[in-house]
Amino acid sequence: MPEIVTERFENILRIQFNRPEKKNAMTSNMYSTLAELLNAAAKDDETRVVLLHGAGDSFCAGNDLEDFLHNPPKSDDSPQARFFAALIEFDKPLIAAVHGVAIGGGTTMLTHFDFVYAAEHTRFQMPFVNLALVPELGTSYWLPAQIGYLAAAELVLLAQQFDAHRAAELGFITRIVDEADLMATALDTAHKLKRQPAGAVRASKRLMRRTLTAQMTAAAELEFQEYASRLQSGDAKEAITAFFEKRQPDFTKSKATVGGSLQ
């Protein structure tokens, strides 16, 4: 079965994560495929809107750790970096229909969407610090800028899980929707957008996001350097080992050091 499934309907491109048995955890191939799909859609005049959703009981559980350890991001041309570049340069409307869990990258990617509809029982989390890592995809800038530093600190430093109601309260999502109506609501917005003048929609999105785009790109570069450095740390190795051994990690012997990009 393909890990990414697409469907075109009139001027709408639907992209579905298709690893339901893994809660749609992302592999390197999935990042590469998404980047290619977004770049192609950006150039295709017939595609006016992109809608992303997940198969099975979840939206996306972030990185597949097993695949991630075999294919860690090592350069600014990694699959993850190409996906980020495609996201941040995409100037057509992006819609996400989110349900189940959105973990790690499944949460951070949503900061680049224009409309995010979440089912009532959706759970979000950014557990990067739990893995001795840092946020990615420009989140270190976007989150404090959009929801305030104190709320961002709670979600990032404590890796606190939050539900759809908290996400709506923070302005992290567009709206909570009954799960039975989730896709219908997302598609209704997609149909409204495809009837709008495409040039004005794209220009308006570029104007509204111009400051965000520059700051998020700069943040993502720093995040990547820090992420790569932390991935080699003893803390990260302990966190990942503990994850696979299904135990609590022991960080009592770790030192509070700052990585290369932040010294």
Side-chain angles (χ1 to χ4, degrees):
M1 291 287 290
E3 295 177 331
I4 300 285
V5 177
T6 62
E7 179 184 19
R8 293 181 182 274
F9 180 75
E10 296 178 354
N11 302 108
I12 301 166
L13 172 63
R14 286 175 56 174
I15 301 175
Q16 182 186 58
F17 298 129
N18 194 41
R19 295 186 77 208
E21 75 285 356
K22 296 286 188 179
K23 296 191 180 297
N24 300 315
M26 297 281 286
T27 64
S28 293
N29 285 337
M30 290 171 74
Y31 280 114
S32 294
T33 300
L34 281 171
E36 291 167 7
L37 286 170
L38 288 175
N39 288 334
K43 297 173 184 175
D44 178 18
D45 290 339
E46 295 302 310
T47 301
R48 292 197 171 197
V49 185
V50 171
L51 167 59
L52 187 63
H53 58 107
D57 64 4
S58 290
F59 177 67
C60 176
N63 285 320
D64 181 306
L65 273 183
E66 205 165 336
D67 178 85
F68 179 76
L69 292 177
H70 286 96
N71 303 287
K74 295 178 180 177
S75 70
D76 56 8
D77 192 40
S78 67
Q80 292 89 343
R82 291 198 300 274
F83 173 56
F84 172 75
L87 264 182
I88 202 131
E89 292 168 11
F90 196 75
D91 64 357
K92 297 178 181 181
L94 281 168
I95 303 171
V98 187
H99 71 296
V101 298
I103 306 295
T107 292
T108 58
M109 73 172 68
L110 298 175
T111 61
H112 298 276
F113 281 68
D114 306 292
F115 300 86
V116 179
Y117 298 106
E120 186 169 6
H121 300 296
T122 306
R123 291 173 291 120
F124 303 86
Q125 189 180 21
M126 292 172 282
F128 302 102
V129 170
N130 288 355
L131 294 170
L133 300 172
V134 295
E136 26 82 297
L137 297 182
T139 309
S140 62
Y141 171 77
W142 185 95
L143 207 61
Q146 297 300 108
I147 71 173
Y149 177 79
L150 293 179
E154 191 173 50
L155 301 184
V156 173
L157 303 185
L158 293 176
Q160 185 163 294
Q161 191 176 103
F162 57 109
D163 62 17
H165 290 278
R166 180 61 171 157
E169 179 185 329
L170 293 171
F172 193 85
I173 62 174
T174 305
R175 192 187 316 157
I176 299 172
V177 180
D178 287 340
E179 186 156 352
D181 300 325
L182 183 62
M183 283 304 299
T185 300
L187 282 169
D188 181 60
T189 296
H191 284 290
K192 288 176 181 175
L193 286 164
K194 77 178 179 120
R195 291 193 291 268
Q196 296 285 71
V201 168
R202 296 175 71 175
S204 296
K205 176 173 175 174
R206 287 196 301 269
L207 287 168
M208 288 192 293
R209 292 185 67 90
R210 68 191 187 283
T211 304
L212 272 177
T213 297
Q215 295 291 349
M216 290 175 82
T217 300
E221 291 174 1
L222 289 174
E223 289 167 356
F224 176 78
Q225 295 171 35
E226 191 70 26
Y227 199 102
S229 172
R230 298 243 159 244
L231 195 55
Q232 304 304 315
S233 71
D235 279 353
K237 291 171 185 174
E238 165 63 11
I240 292 169
T241 299
F243 176 85
F244 284 113
E245 292 180 354
K246 297 182 174 17
R247 62 173 173 83
Q248 287 295 316
D250 180 6
F251 298 129
T252 57
K253 296 179 181 178
S254 65
K255 296 179 181 179
T257 57
V258 176
S261 66
L262 300 179
Q263 288 191 37

